Amino acid sequence: MATVVIDSGSGNLRSVHRALEAAGCVPEFTSDPDAVRKADRIVVPGQGAFGDCVGNLDKHGLSEAIIESAKAGTPYFGICLGLHILFESSDESSDKGLGLLEGDVQRFSPEVGKVPHMGWNSVTWDYSEGRDPILEGIPQETYFYFTHSYHVEPLDARVIALRCHYGHDFVAAIRHENLFACQFHPEKSQGAGLTLLANFLKA
Amino acid sequence: MLAKRIIPCLDVKDGRVVKGINFVELRDAGDPVEQATIYDTQGADEICFLDISASPEGKSTIIDIVKRTADCVFVPLTVGGGVRTVDDCRKLLEAGADRVAINTAAIRRPELITEAAKRFGTQAIVVAIDAKKNPDGRYEIYSHGGRTPEGLDGLEWCKRMADMGAGELLLTSMDRDGTRKGYELELTRLIADAVPIPVIASGGVGVLDHMVEGLTTGGANAVLAASIFHYGEHTIGDAKAHLRGAAVAIREPWNPS
């Protein structure tokens, strides 16, 4: 079972790699679109700028490969920018996202408080929707580590898997069929983050 | 609710912790990785390494320490000390640091902050600021580990660094550092109110109540502390219990059901 971590040229891949290992797999790094098409699971981490990220993905032909795999049902786990790029557009850049989900990425307004939203914040989900298996063992109000200035605004609220509060409610994670992506960093969220990654690897 | 962060800081010189925890269970009291692991286990929200090596050998050692720490500690890691170029940032971030703290190099060439923030994101760039109160009541910026006055106004400098792309300020009071008299609350509040980015209070914590003051009266988003944890007087857990008692929002420890 090949789990590939997509290297879009930004950020701290080492931590994601180690966290996946601790969660029970040996991931491969790749910027090869064919490896993405063949993968059994895809992890897309990302820090830095939206425009640089999608620019790098396009340059290597990875955008198309991700879209194809996502549509073919390959389990996808996005982290931070790996969440943002699923949407259509971002306040951060004129570059287009992958458009797998309808909606956009917006900057926090200064009224919410200090931006970036940085540190550990607690997340909640709505029980009425039934429990996503990826959240197995994650209690309500679990703290995860966030560090971001932008958040996603999905058009369809049914994709919201986890919510968080900073000045106002915002989306902490989405779930749409085989796609799961979170705004926080599971690789830096100690036991809670490793549990989430382990659940993804089990699915 | 966003929790206030407690950040233990380890001073590292040539690969060894300078002021360390005196815990009996430590196999090697000078090993930064082992000490970072203990802080992680105790519930630290983030860990900071400050590299005070002067030699090039020391600089390459810190990369290895960051790698080994990131291999076993799954909380954010901030690394500062001698970061001069975008490439220095890249090396630390690729080794597993989440954020780099830049001090003197930002004073020499403020554009470095903009360049590094553009490349790695503002969230990865912390500007470390050493400030000292002048007789006229204004704060002056110091460089080189607090040795060289720079003739820069503290308030203006902090605002400028935020404008140039810093994601957070690590604000140390030179007047209080090492005194154990508590954070310089006037300075902390002045800066926290003036900049749109988070502020970490540093310098002077002696008792747990000082952390409460820094986060409430001082308005800081996080508190950095060294000796109060190193000498085993208090654990991170003690600090969190104390803050919880003072109604400060803290991260509850991970406790799977």
Side-chain angles (χ1 to χ4, degrees):
Chain A
M1 294 291 280
T3 299
V4 302
V5 179
I6 293 179
D7 181 358
S8 65
S10 64
N12 173 356
L13 291 178
R14 190 183 175 89
S15 296
V16 174
H17 185 256
R18 275 295 298 128
L20 283 164
E21 275 186 349
C25 88
V26 183
E28 298 166 21
F29 287 108
T30 192
S31 41
D32 171 12
D34 284 333
V36 173
R37 289 188 179 92
K38 286 182 198 149
D40 299 300
R41 291 189 193 85
I42 303 171
V43 178
V44 183
Q47 290 177 356
F50 182 90
D52 290 350
C53 182
V54 291
N56 279 325
L57 292 177
D58 281 343
K59 192 170 72 186
H60 294 103
L62 288 163
S63 299
E64 268 177 51
I66 294 170
I67 292 169
E68 278 175 39
S69 305
K71 288 187 171 166
T74 308
Y76 175 103
F77 194 111
I79 300 169
C80 198
L81 277 178
L83 165 66
H84 295 183
I85 60 166
L86 294 174
F87 288 83
E88 295 162 304
S89 62
S90 172
D91 284 356
E92 198 181 351
S93 155
S94 57
D95 296 275
K96 292 286 165 217
L98 302 182
L100 286 161
L101 295 171
E102 290 181 314
D104 62 357
V105 184
Q106 301 180 2
R107 190 176 164 87
F108 277 117
S109 73
E111 288 80 54
V112 302
K114 302 285 190 175
V115 180
H117 170 230
M118 190 179 288
W120 297 78
N121 206 333
S122 54
V123 301
T124 55
W125 69 88
D126 184 352
Y127 275 111
S128 66
E129 297 290 324
R131 192 178 170 113
D132 190 324
I134 205 167
L135 301 177
E136 189 63 44
I138 309 274
Q140 288 280 26
E141 305 289 346
T142 294
Y143 281 88
F144 287 96
Y145 182 76
F146 290 81
T147 171
H148 60 122
S149 302
Y150 296 82
H151 62 96
V152 299
E153 285 284 345
L155 216 57
D156 182 354
R158 287 174 301 180
V159 304
I160 300 171
L162 292 170
R163 292 176 197 274
C164 183
H165 189 85
Y166 189 58
H168 52 74
D169 282 354
F170 71 93
V171 176
I174 63 93
R175 155 69 75 189
H176 177 65
E177 296 171 354
N178 50 310
L179 307 178
F180 180 87
C182 51
Q183 180 61 69
F184 51 81
H185 289 270
E187 77 279 15
K188 289 290 163 179
S189 297
Q190 243 202 359
L194 298 184
T195 301
L196 195 67
L197 290 171
N199 289 345
F200 170 70
L201 296 173
K202 270 190 278 182
Chain B
M1 185 189 274
L2 180 64
K4 302 285 188 179
R5 284 168 286 150
I6 299 179
I7 309 172
C9 180
L10 291 161
D11 286 357
V12 178
K13 188 175 185 191
D14 301 323
R16 307 287 292 170
V17 174
V18 177
K19 293 178 286 187
I21 322 168
N22 284 326
F23 287 148
V24 284
E25 68 262 36
L26 281 178
R27 280 173 289 127
D28 176 0
D31 180 13
V33 181
E34 195 173 354
Q35 298 216 5
T37 307
I38 288 189
Y39 285 142
D40 177 38
T41 308
Q42 289 182 357
D45 298 310
E46 189 170 323
I47 289 164
C48 180
F49 285 141
L50 183 61
D51 182 27
I52 54 172
S53 312
S55 64
E57 293 77 24
K59 294 293 166 211
S60 59
T61 311
I62 192 75
I63 300 284
D64 177 58
I65 289 165
V66 169
K67 282 183 182 169
R68 289 194 291 127
T69 306
D71 279 353
C72 56
V73 169
F74 298 105
V75 296
L77 187 59
T78 299
V79 184
V83 179
R84 292 198 167 78
T85 63
V86 168
D87 202 50
D88 290 342
C89 299
R90 182 187 59 78
K91 284 181 188 151
L92 289 167
L93 295 170
E94 282 180 1
D98 297 278
R99 298 160 355 106
V100 291
I102 304 174
N103 187 335
T104 301
I107 297 170
R108 289 292 156 267
R109 207 173 69 79
E111 299 75 26
L112 171 63
I113 300 307
T114 309
E115 290 160 15
K118 190 169 184 309
R119 173 88 184 269
F120 308 110
T122 56
Q123 85 293 330
I125 307 302
V126 179
V127 174
I129 288 166
D130 294 336
K132 192 175 194 316
K133 200 172 196 173
N134 276 341
D136 67 1
R138 288 151 62 100
Y139 292 94
E140 167 137 13
I141 298 299
Y142 279 65
S143 65
H144 298 94
R147 290 190 298 275
T148 314
E150 289 286 343
L152 291 165
D153 177 71
L155 178 60
E156 293 310 314
W157 179 246
C158 290
K159 287 194 211 168
R160 184 165 176 214
M161 287 295 96
D163 285 345
M164 294 200 78
E168 187 160 49
L169 301 179
L170 167 53
L171 181 63
T172 303
S173 161
M174 302 310 303
D175 298 305
R176 292 301 178 91
D177 202 27
T179 64
R180 305 174 68 89
K181 288 180 182 169
Y183 298 111
E184 227 271 44
L185 299 175
E186 189 190 335
L187 169 69
T188 310
R189 174 55 79 175
L190 177 74
I191 304 305
D193 282 349
V195 296
I197 56 175
V199 172
I200 306 170
S202 159
V205 66
V207 297
L208 296 177
D209 251 348
H210 290 154
M211 294 191 172
V212 177
E213 291 170 358
L215 295 167
T216 56
T217 316
N221 302 89
V223 281
L224 186 114
S227 57
I228 193 168
F229 297 129
H230 294 339
Y231 299 115
E233 295 160 49
H234 295 290
T235 64
I236 307 282
D238 294 341
K240 288 204 166 175
H242 192 82
L243 289 170
R244 193 186 298 115
V248 175
I250 50 122
R251 169 175 70 112
E252 298 298 336
W254 166 243
N255 186 17
S257 51

